[in-house]
Amino acid sequence: MIPVNEPALGHAELARVTEAVRAGHVSSGGPEVLEFEEHWAAYCGRRHGVAVTNGTAALELAVACLDLDPGDEIIMPTFTIISCALAATNRSAIPRLVDADSRTWCMDANLVGDAIGPRTRAVMLVHVYGHPVNIDPVLELAERHGLAVIEDAAQAHGAEYQSNRNGATAWRRCGSFGAMSCFSFYANKLVTTGEGGMLVTDDAALAQRARLLRNLAFEGDRRFRHEHLGFNFRMSNLQAALGIAQVARMDEIVAKKRTIATAYTQGLRDVAGITLPVEEPWARSVYWMYGLVVGSETGLDAEALAKRLSDLGVETRPFFLGLHEQPVFRRRGWFINEKFPVAERLARQGLYLPSGLGLRTGQIEQVIDAVRRCLT
Ligand SMILES: Cc1ncc(COP(=O)(O)O)c(C=O)c1O
């Protein structure tokens, strides 16, 4: 079976982790976490990085830094992982959902304005499967309505967006937009620390607050005396050591992802009945996972295609099931009468192919061959 993800770690990672072990830097206090924070924030074009245990924690920490009141709303795409919703619900805030764009599969920026209400306080930009959201229109709305912007760039390490604001055009990396940006370094991400995440920001006060809340809100001269309710979201130096080695290889990592995507696109673009990922002119995708949407005219849905591919030795993953279709929210009576037709179609017809950094050319050819056999 060709796995949907296989990480590619090498000598540099081994050397950095070994060094940390030798130096006894195993827990969170020590130089590796600081170095990783500095390097990753700099790579993203941010001033500050706060490393945490995972991407879900980074999102929750970002929302905690906003000091919302219970019942405040955060706009987010329905087509995303539950972590985004949890960051809201764990802080007593409510997700307000927006449908996906049928081309990029990210939140449709044209629909965000309609979701803004009197309790809206923030908006979450989630870059899906490596392709950036159309960020500028959302930033403009957020400025006009005084909303905080949190970027979820878990799947978009190194992706770029061409921003055209205030008369200036500039390509900027995902992770550099809004008040705070969040990353996951789970094993299937471009940079992995096994488990891990980071919040990056340009705002020194937000960074300080995030650091305080990350570490049980220890502060002041008297240890074990607390003014705030925090979390234990600390990353260890062993994890950070793994990350440091990969930040240095980011150009190579992004190039490999783009090479995999180019090979898939070349091998599949003439197959009728499937839609392949796009790259908008204002975007440079990192194709975190190479997705495809199978047309219903083929008589297949994603589940049936996944079964056929599995029989041919190819592992896949289904696309997200929209937040509005999650039983846990439906049981609360949330989103009951809301329709998000694009996300609903993607959830039923979309899946992604093996896309890990460890994928070899021969395996890509096998996957292409298998998809072609399933559909022609
Ligand atoms: C878009 C997005 N946000 C957040 C997360 C959560 O990251 P983690 O699994 O590290 O908690 C993920 C994980 O895959 C993700 O894809």
Side-chain angles (χ1 to χ4, degrees):
M1 188 69 97
I2 301 175
V4 83
N5 178 65
E6 208 169 1
L9 302 173
H11 295 298
E13 285 81 357
L14 191 58
R16 284 305 302 236
V17 175
T18 308
E19 244 176 72
V21 173
R22 287 220 174 93
H25 299 160
V26 289
S27 199
S28 59
E32 284 81 4
V33 169
L34 295 173
E35 188 178 338
F36 182 41
E37 289 175 338
E38 209 175 283
H39 288 197
W40 187 248
Y43 177 79
C44 298
R46 290 289 207 179
R47 293 207 183 94
H48 310 280
V50 182
V52 293
T53 41
N54 54 63
T56 307
L59 289 167
E60 185 167 351
L61 190 58
V63 173
C65 286
L66 297 180
D67 271 331
L68 301 182
D69 290 323
D72 282 348
E73 292 177 2
I74 303 178
I75 292 174
M76 62 184 69
T78 188
F79 190 68
T80 186
I81 193 162
I82 197 156
S83 309
C84 301
L86 292 178
T89 56
N90 287 350
R91 311 305 303 162
S92 305
I94 297 174
R96 264 307 290 259
L97 305 181
V98 172
D99 204 357
D101 174 285
S102 59
R103 285 175 55 79
T104 64
W105 309 333
C106 295
M107 180 167 73
D108 186 339
N110 294 320
L111 301 177
V112 173
D114 292 343
I116 299 174
R119 297 297 304 267
T120 311
R121 296 287 174 270
V123 52
M124 223 177 249
L125 297 171
V126 187
H127 309 300
V128 175
Y129 304 145
H131 191 289
V133 190
N134 191 7
I135 300 171
D136 280 353
V138 185
L139 291 185
E140 267 148 41
L141 277 173
E143 265 170 31
R144 200 163 351 122
H145 294 270
L147 311 178
V149 174
I150 296 173
E151 213 187 346
D152 179 351
Q155 303 185 344
H157 303 183
E160 291 173 44
Y161 175 76
Q162 189 182 38
S163 180
N164 259 310
R165 300 201 65 215
N166 310 321
T169 299
W171 282 94
R172 277 168 56 185
R173 289 209 171 112
C174 292
S176 67
F177 295 92
M180 291 168 276
S181 306
C182 299
F183 291 92
S184 162
F185 301 119
Y186 181 65
N188 59 12
K189 301 304 187 297
L190 275 79
V191 168
T192 181
T193 56
E195 298 284 351
M198 201 182 293
L199 180 159
V200 296
T201 179
D202 289 323
D203 184 324
L206 280 176
Q208 194 183 5
R209 181 154 170 78
R211 286 205 175 94
L212 171 76
L213 296 179
R214 165 183 66 177
N215 185 21
L216 300 173
F218 278 122
E219 65 186 314
D221 299 335
R222 174 65 171 92
R223 192 77 169 170
F224 305 115
R225 181 179 176 278
H226 301 271
E227 298 278 354
H228 300 94
L229 295 175
F231 312 93
N232 178 354
F233 284 165
R234 299 185 302 255
M235 176 185 271
S236 78
N237 282 299
L238 294 180
Q239 293 167 300
L242 205 56
I244 293 165
Q246 289 161 77
V247 186
R249 296 202 287 114
M250 267 310 276
D251 289 350
E252 174 204 322
I253 289 172
V254 170
K256 169 88 198 220
K257 283 287 194 190
R258 289 183 63 88
T259 303
I260 294 171
T262 304
Y264 275 141
T265 301
Q266 274 169 5
L268 296 172
R269 69 174 149 216
D270 62 329
V271 178
I274 52 172
T275 308
L276 304 178
V278 297
E279 188 176 55
E280 296 288 9
W282 39 261
R284 208 167 149 77
S285 176
V286 290
Y287 299 95
W288 169 63
M289 288 287 158
Y290 192 92
L292 61 83
V293 179
V294 59
S296 34
E297 70 277 12
T298 61
L300 294 173
D301 60 10
E303 198 180 338
L305 179 58
K307 168 79 177 62
R308 287 193 190 181
L309 287 168
S310 171
D311 290 344
L312 295 171
V314 175
E315 190 189 25
T316 59
R317 284 276 182 286
F319 273 10
F320 294 127
L321 179 63
L323 294 175
H324 70 287
E325 296 200 82
Q326 298 297 341
V328 65
F329 296 136
R330 291 260 157 172
R331 275 202 303 277
R332 290 182 172 200
W334 289 8
F335 317 130
I336 296 286
N337 295 317
E338 298 182 44
K339 294 299 284 174
F340 301 97
V342 179
E344 283 164 26
R345 177 161 181 275
L346 293 175
R348 281 152 192 79
Q349 301 297 131
L351 55 72
Y352 52 81
L353 301 175
S355 310
L357 290 163
L359 197 64
R360 295 183 301 278
T361 309
Q363 291 177 310
I364 298 173
E365 283 161 10
Q366 270 174 268
V367 176
I368 291 170
D369 184 53
V371 175
R372 297 187 74 92
R373 281 170 62 190
C374 292
L375 284 151
T376 50

